Amino acid sequence: MTAFDRFIMVDWSARAAPSPATPAADAIWIAIAGYGDDIVSYHRTRHAATAYLTEVLREECAAGRRCLVGFDFPFGYPKGFARAVTGSDDPFALWGELAARIKDGTDNANDRFDVAEELNGLFDSAGPFWGCPKGRASAGLDSRKSIDYSQFPFAERRRIETVIAKAQPVWKLYTTGSVGSQTLLGIPQLVQLQKEFGADLSVRPFETADTPIVLAEVYPSLIGAEIGAQQEEDEILDAAQVRVLAKAMSYLDPVRLAAMLAEGDLEEGWILGAGHEAELTRAARGEPPLLPPVFKDDCFALPPGIAWTPVSEAQERLRQALHVVAGPQTVPLSHALGRVTAADAVAKASNPGAANAAVDGYGFSSEAIGDGPQLLPLVCGRAVAGQPFKGSVPKGHAISILTGATVPAGVDTVVLQEDCSVEPDAIAFHGPVKPGANRRRAGEDFHAGQTILGAGHVIRPADLALLSAAGLAEISVYRRLKVAILSTGDELVDPGQEPGEGQIFDANRPMLAGLLRAWGHEVLDLGRKPDDEGAIRDALDRGAEVDAILTSGGASAGDEDHISRILSTEGNLSSWRIAIKPGRPLALALWKGKPVFGLPGNPVAAMVCALLFARPALSLMSGAGWTQPMRMKCPAGFSKSKRHGRAEYPRARLGADGRVELFKSEGSGRISGLSWAEGLVELPFEAQEIEEGDLVTFLPYAGFGL
Ligand code: AMP
Ligand code: MG
């Protein structure tokens, strides 16, 4: 489900007459956040308030927006009360009972004390309800509390009211701070909303909050101090309560809000956000959530004494150090290409939705068919895709049917048009025909409710066909990973600039930007910085605002370049000496909590290290999991002897004869070889004598997502 779009908070009231025409305290106040500006409204009666809510919710639903609606009264009673009254633990059974008993006029005139007295009558002794004006008190309803709750099959307080001690029990119907009357008069209005919105509405925590409208119990006093601080000079406290609470809910991280909505007691209900007051308060101030560091400071540390790390071990360490950082969002299918599914995609519709014809031909019941020549009269009309035949085809008759048309009643088999002789009113063909021939069964591809794509899947064009066929208009995906790129080195200029003596063009930044875009990430270009500490630090600070930083150049340990110095003093730099050619140490660091991948400066080495390390690492962070490149075993079109102790990745491509060719020079300065190639050959750590025709492992660029 998507995050909420509107946050509607309601301060309820148990008044027995309409509230004053001039907005006053202790009346119904409703605040809506999520429009940009908050909307606060005042309602004189419960009926007027429910009518207003119904109107707002109808409009929001029609516009496809999701609403969280909070009410400041308990949604349930202490465990055991529902059973004592209705014989069931289902809180909605009690809701139904209250809705049936309570009479609440459009002028707020109501019989809540009578209903409380009736309910008290279900128990031998006085209670559990108490509290009313002195004159209304009777043997069945005391104006003061003189009740021993140990005699009831339920407690005085709900569990949440032991957690939030200042919240009052639901039994108290009158005077300061009581919520009992609000509950008796509120629940019937909630039942009204349930009726109105049906399956579009759910009530937390009794039901799963996966509907367009979700109702929840709220308690503004959870953030009472913050409400007090934000109350405006002439603002009535009730108005400030709902306004600030709605704002707080709207500023909460959607994932955190969803987690809060999942908390609570399935019979008694729960106050949304209880136990998370600090988080709510931050949200009410519009402050971002306080989050623990995503990665541990020492996540890239290697155990001491490691000299050279084999590629596979370095990959495994990287995999252990990292995890998903992107949160989920819902996007329309038109924006889903290349995105990573954040949840299983479940089919809304079956494919086919109904049994249909796989060919153009004639449909009939297979029961009427035997061996040899068959002559079947044709029924009037035909079945066409999108225009189903409404009637049923009698046994022994046939109907003209076109590909994709729903198979009419009475038909289970289709014979190909080409296999028939056709007259206007009859067809003839040779039997036997296999029962069910040329008929696609309903749901034979997939059925509604089936998971058609798992979480962590990168959506390709073929998947768009699948998702569309399954009736999905939108899908939950991880937000795109944003990755910063930075080139460092005094010697660099950009193409188009005039290089000074000894200067070269920055080749890495365009290449890295291209790689990241091909992998579906967003790019933040931090530009090219000279070996200047201040400039590099500023660039890294900007980079730390996104998910990860790729740098190239000057990052090896002991290098005089500033980037390695800055990262080792302030970024917990760990230089991994990886047994790989081409490539030098891979520098890994955390800058303000964000991973920095320090790639070699040499463009060939930078690209190879990006493919082997940065790609799977970023894929993991993006939610798509650690990715392995595609490996193809192909005969070598070269001979070569390679020493033991490091993996080599020469630039290669497949020749017309299907053999792997190497670029003419292995020099790692040869950027032309990188471009000539269509992939890499993986020559493993062990020593190897490769003869022409031996099978070698070819890693096509395409298998790296390029
Ligand atoms: P470094 O890793 O900084 O020692 O650089 C190794 C080699 O790569 C040197 O020859 C650098 O000039 C070169 N180099 C560094 N960064 C780039 C870049 N962005 N584009 C092209 N060459 C680079
Ligand atoms: Mg350098």
Side-chain angles (χ1 to χ4, degrees):
M1 252 293 157
T2 51
F4 290 101
D5 303 290
R6 301 283 183 256
F7 304 82
I8 306 173
M9 296 296 132
V10 185
D11 183 359
W12 201 240
S13 156
R15 277 186 193 255
S19 305
T22 314
D26 298 325
I28 298 179
W29 287 89
I30 300 179
I32 312 181
Y35 282 100
D37 289 330
D38 300 341
I39 299 171
V40 179
S41 56
Y42 169 80
H43 305 269
R44 297 184 61 196
T45 66
R46 286 176 287 280
H47 280 272
T50 304
Y52 169 79
L53 276 176
T54 305
E55 181 78 21
V56 168
L57 292 174
R58 264 200 214 123
E59 264 174 40
E60 297 297 343
C61 270
R65 288 188 282 260
R66 246 190 125 203
C67 301
L68 173 67
V69 195
F71 293 86
D72 71 335
F73 56 81
F75 279 15
Y77 287 80
K79 213 181 271 302
F81 182 67
R83 173 163 291 273
V85 174
T86 68
S88 154
D89 297 327
D90 178 1
F92 292 143
L94 185 60
W95 280 32
E97 185 70 29
L98 293 179
R101 287 177 185 251
I102 287 284
K103 292 197 182 41
D104 189 3
T106 49
D107 59 352
N108 271 355
N110 65 80
D111 61 353
R112 69 191 192 276
F113 294 124
D114 307 330
V115 170
E117 187 169 355
E118 279 166 38
L119 291 170
N120 278 350
L122 300 175
F123 305 92
D124 290 341
S125 47
F129 290 99
W130 65 275
C132 60
K134 275 229 171 62
R136 169 64 186 75
S138 63
L141 185 69
D142 206 334
S143 65
R144 286 169 316 156
K145 181 180 161 192
S146 55
I147 299 166
D148 170 16
Y149 284 88
S150 67
Q151 62 188 318
F152 298 120
F154 44 82
E156 181 181 10
R157 289 176 166 270
R158 299 187 294 158
R159 189 152 64 82
I160 183 63
E161 288 143 9
T162 61
V163 176
I164 309 289
K166 66 183 172 201
Q168 303 230 16
V170 281
W171 312 118
K172 178 175 160 186
L173 303 179
Y174 201 57
T175 69
T176 334
S178 65
V179 288
S181 289
Q182 274 95 323
T183 308
L184 285 179
L185 296 172
I187 285 174
Q189 303 286 331
L190 301 186
V191 171
Q192 195 56 42
L193 291 175
Q194 278 185 312
K195 284 203 184 114
E196 177 69 37
F197 293 101
D200 282 343
L201 177 148
S202 60
V203 181
R204 283 308 303 168
F206 308 139
E207 298 171 293
T208 313
D210 58 357
T211 48
I213 303 168
V214 174
L215 309 188
E217 172 184 341
V218 296
Y219 187 47
S221 302
L222 288 184
I223 53 166
E226 185 56 29
I227 289 170
Q230 291 194 30
Q231 185 179 6
E232 279 156 23
E233 211 164 299
D234 297 325
E235 194 178 27
I236 291 169
L237 182 62
D238 310 57
Q241 285 182 333
V242 287
R243 180 178 60 78
V244 177
L245 189 62
K247 175 178 162 199
M249 295 291 174
S250 73
Y251 272 78
L252 274 182
D253 176 63
V255 177
R256 293 291 305 136
L257 176 58
M260 289 179 198
L261 279 165
E263 295 172 342
D265 187 291
L266 295 184
E267 181 180 342
E268 299 187 334
W270 195 256
I271 292 170
L272 175 60
H276 308 289
E277 289 79 356
E279 215 173 327
L280 278 171
T281 301
R282 286 182 78 91
R285 290 184 188 140
E287 289 171 9
L290 182 65
L291 298 171
V294 178
F295 298 108
K296 284 214 219 94
D297 262 3
D298 61 351
C299 69
F300 294 128
L302 288 182
I306 289 200
W308 289 96
T309 310
V311 170
S312 57
E313 193 183 320
Q315 288 173 329
E316 187 50 34
R317 287 190 180 281
L318 207 47
R319 179 185 189 152
Q320 295 296 336
L322 298 169
H323 51 78
V324 185
V325 298
Q329 62 177 160
T330 300
V331 296
L333 276 200
S334 54
H335 287 65
L337 186 65
R339 307 296 295 272
V340 181
T341 53
D344 289 352
V346 175
K348 277 199 170 145
S350 301
N351 185 43
N356 69 22
V359 297
D360 291 350
Y362 296 89
F364 46 80
S365 163
S366 60
E367 276 178 38
I369 301 304
D371 283 358
Q374 305 291 319
L375 179 74
L376 298 184
L378 278 174
V379 299
C380 229
R382 56 180 200 155
V384 180
Q387 296 165 41
F389 179 76
K390 294 271 174 2
S392 126
V393 178
K395 204 179 280 179
H397 286 63
I399 182 169
S400 165
I401 187 164
L402 297 185
T403 308
T406 297
V407 166
V411 172
D412 63 8
T413 302
V414 179
V415 63
L416 211 60
Q417 187 171 299
E418 292 86 329
D419 294 341
C420 298
S421 308
V422 185
E423 285 288 311
D425 56 354
I427 55 166
F429 58 91
H430 285 290
V433 175
K434 204 167 142 222
N438 298 318
R439 177 208 49 175
R440 306 175 180 132
R441 274 173 294 108
E444 71 175 20
D445 186 12
F446 55 81
H447 51 79
Q450 186 177 328
T451 296
I452 46 173
L453 285 181
H457 179 90
V458 181
I459 298 173
R460 305 154 305 161
D463 303 318
L464 294 177
L466 176 63
L467 295 165
S468 302
L472 297 170
E474 51 179 35
I475 184 155
S476 171
V477 294
Y478 289 107
R479 73 162 169 77
R480 270 185 208 283
L481 207 64
K482 198 160 190 180
V483 184
I485 49 173
L486 172 66
S487 289
T488 63
D490 286 336
E491 75 275 32
L492 301 178
V493 292
D494 284 333
Q497 289 181 315
E498 198 53 51
E501 209 188 316
Q503 288 200 299
I504 58 166
F505 297 108
D506 180 0
N508 288 345
R509 219 156 28 99
M511 171 184 72
L512 292 177
L515 289 175
L516 292 170
R517 293 209 174 91
W519 296 334
H521 310 310
E522 278 176 43
V523 177
L524 172 65
D525 189 353
L526 299 175
R528 182 176 48 70
K529 298 291 171 226
D531 288 320
D532 169 86
E533 228 176 276
I536 291 175
R537 189 176 282 113
D538 286 350
L540 289 173
D541 281 349
R542 268 187 66 212
E545 288 168 16
V546 300
D547 298 304
I549 306 170
L550 295 189
T551 70
S552 71
S556 34
D559 205 312
E560 270 313 292
D561 297 318
H562 285 290
I563 189 147
S564 74
R565 177 134 30 95
I566 297 170
L567 287 175
S568 53
T569 48
E570 299 167 49
N572 240 310
L573 177 79
S574 186
S575 262
W576 291 15
R577 299 209 292 164
I578 300 170
I580 184 175
K581 177 187 170 189
R584 291 196 316 176
L586 183 64
L588 295 164
L590 279 186
W591 189 261
K592 304 211 158 139
K594 300 299 169 62
V596 182
F597 300 86
L599 301 168
N602 179 308
V604 177
M607 173 137 163
V608 169
C609 285
L611 296 184
L612 294 176
F613 302 107
R615 173 179 181 253
L618 295 172
S619 170
L620 186 71
M621 291 170 67
S622 76
W626 188 268
T627 35
Q628 294 290 357
M630 183 202 296
R631 293 187 145 71
M632 296 166 59
K633 285 282 181 200
C634 303
F638 60 91
S639 63
K640 183 178 162 61
S641 69
K642 176 201 158 290
R643 69 175 173 79
H644 178 89
R646 69 179 181 203
E648 297 184 11
Y649 292 89
R651 276 62 64 209
R653 69 183 188 190
L654 289 183
D657 57 359
R659 289 169 173 246
V660 177
E661 296 170 4
L662 296 188
F663 187 59
K664 59 182 190 288
S665 160
E666 283 191 31
S668 62
R670 301 293 189 101
I671 302 174
S672 57
L674 207 52
S675 166
W676 168 91
E678 277 156 11
L680 307 171
V681 165
E682 184 174 60
L683 305 175
F685 187 84
E686 296 77 35
Q688 214 183 354
E689 290 296 332
I690 300 145
E691 305 290 342
E692 282 201 41
D694 287 354
L695 288 184
V696 290
T697 306
F698 179 59
L699 313 179
Y701 284 161
F704 287 104
L706 305 177

